[in-house]
Amino acid sequence: MRSDWANLPEPVEAAVAERIGDIIDVYPAPSGDHAEIASTVIGSTGTIFVKAASSGPGVRSLRYELTVTRAIDRYPPAVLWDFESDGWLVVGAEHLDGPHPDLSPGNPDLDTLAVTLEGLQETAAPDVRLFPPAGRLSFAHPAMDGDSLVHSDLNPANLILTSQGLRIVDWAYATKAAPWVELALLTQWLIGNDHTPAQAEDWLSQFPAWAGTDPEVLDDFAARNASKWANKSRQSTERWVHDLALWTYEWAAYRA
């Protein structure tokens, strides 16, 4: 659960100020909940993005993301520093300035996403401990196993269009898997951005990893993923959970 910047202990805030100068303003991230603090911080010497956690699960998640992002080039924001103080793990990262892409049908941002996906599909998982498919998704299939780096949550809020190209944030669920798994997980976000299931699959067919995957494997993935989110939606009042339940159901129903 997100917390307010003002809840940071004074020594922690002072340690941040030592690194970026006097803190002029703080803008909390509008989405996400992996860290208790996730904010753009404007200091007298520059602007950075700060994540901080103090709870057991929050610290473990942030430490995992810190390890992963330091092991990956090109896509995530650069880690500038990290420290621990007063029970908090604090990470300062490159601030990425730009809008989120529009993934609706026909939008040119899809071409930019395709270029990024082509590179990501060819990126081997770094030599750090990553989630296996079952650990990330709570279901498995032998065809999901592989050696590729899979972000596993390429929703538009985790994609930022910058002058250096499309960048990807929030690597707390980075996974080592077959490359098609990334594409299968992207299907729900394409549907959520006004693609029909048929349009989503047609767009994904440009990638060899998708075209080369056994249709029965995709059928199985779609059905299991829809079942997972249907179960989650019965236990949650969160809008985003019910949206994912709907979008994954639409894809599973189409494949069925």
Side-chain angles (χ1 to χ4, degrees):
M1 181 177 294
R2 283 286 161 81
S3 182
D4 189 85
W5 181 267
N7 292 332
L8 282 176
E10 287 186 12
V12 175
E13 186 170 3
V16 173
E18 287 176 4
R19 291 161 171 81
I20 66 168
D22 294 335
I23 296 175
I24 298 170
D25 219 335
V26 177
Y27 297 96
S31 61
D33 60 1
H34 296 314
E36 289 137 84
I37 300 290
S39 299
T40 297
V41 182
I42 301 174
S44 58
T45 62
T47 300
I48 62 170
F49 192 77
V50 174
K51 281 190 173 183
S54 64
S55 69
V59 169
R60 287 193 295 273
S61 177
L62 184 54
R63 201 182 303 283
Y64 178 87
E65 184 175 10
L66 176 61
T67 299
V68 171
T69 52
R70 277 189 162 146
I72 303 170
D73 294 326
R74 183 176 173 185
Y75 302 107
V79 177
L80 304 177
W81 44 257
D82 68 279
F83 66 86
E84 294 188 49
S85 173
D86 287 61
W88 285 80
L89 171 62
V90 185
V91 178
E94 173 189 11
H95 175 254
L96 300 177
D97 188 22
H100 301 299
D102 182 340
L103 303 187
S104 58
N107 193 287
D109 288 351
L110 286 169
D111 296 332
T112 304
L113 175 60
V115 171
T116 300
L117 278 171
E118 286 171 0
L120 191 58
Q121 292 274 286
E122 298 172 356
T123 302
D127 189 20
V128 297
R129 185 176 181 181
L130 297 174
F131 281 111
R136 168 65 179 101
L137 300 173
S138 302
F139 62 89
H141 187 288
M144 293 166 66
D145 294 332
D147 295 320
S148 291
L149 173 66
V150 172
H151 178 278
S152 83
D153 189 17
L154 294 181
N155 74 79
N158 286 337
L159 305 173
I160 300 177
L161 292 164
T162 75
S163 57
Q164 292 79 41
L166 186 66
R167 303 287 293 280
I168 307 171
V169 302
D170 285 349
W171 291 80
Y173 290 130
T175 301
K176 182 179 179 180
W180 68 265
V181 174
E182 188 84 87
L183 305 175
L185 288 168
L186 181 59
T187 306
Q188 60 207 27
W189 298 110
L190 294 174
I191 293 172
N193 283 267
D194 299 327
H195 288 76
T196 65
Q199 287 175 318
E201 290 202 0
D202 182 63
W203 189 82
L204 291 166
S205 67
Q206 67 186 288
F207 301 101
W210 179 272
T213 300
D214 186 334
E216 291 186 0
V217 169
L218 294 176
D219 293 345
D220 180 80
F221 185 99
R224 289 173 182 259
N225 203 33
S227 177
K228 180 185 80 172
W229 284 104
N231 288 335
K232 285 179 177 288
S233 70
R234 286 191 283 269
Q235 304 169 39
S236 175
T237 59
E238 295 280 355
R239 171 66 182 272
W240 67 271
V241 174
H242 287 264
D243 284 343
L244 281 168
L246 174 62
W247 302 335
T248 54
Y249 167 79
E250 289 181 5
W251 183 38
Y254 171 76
R255 293 207 63 88

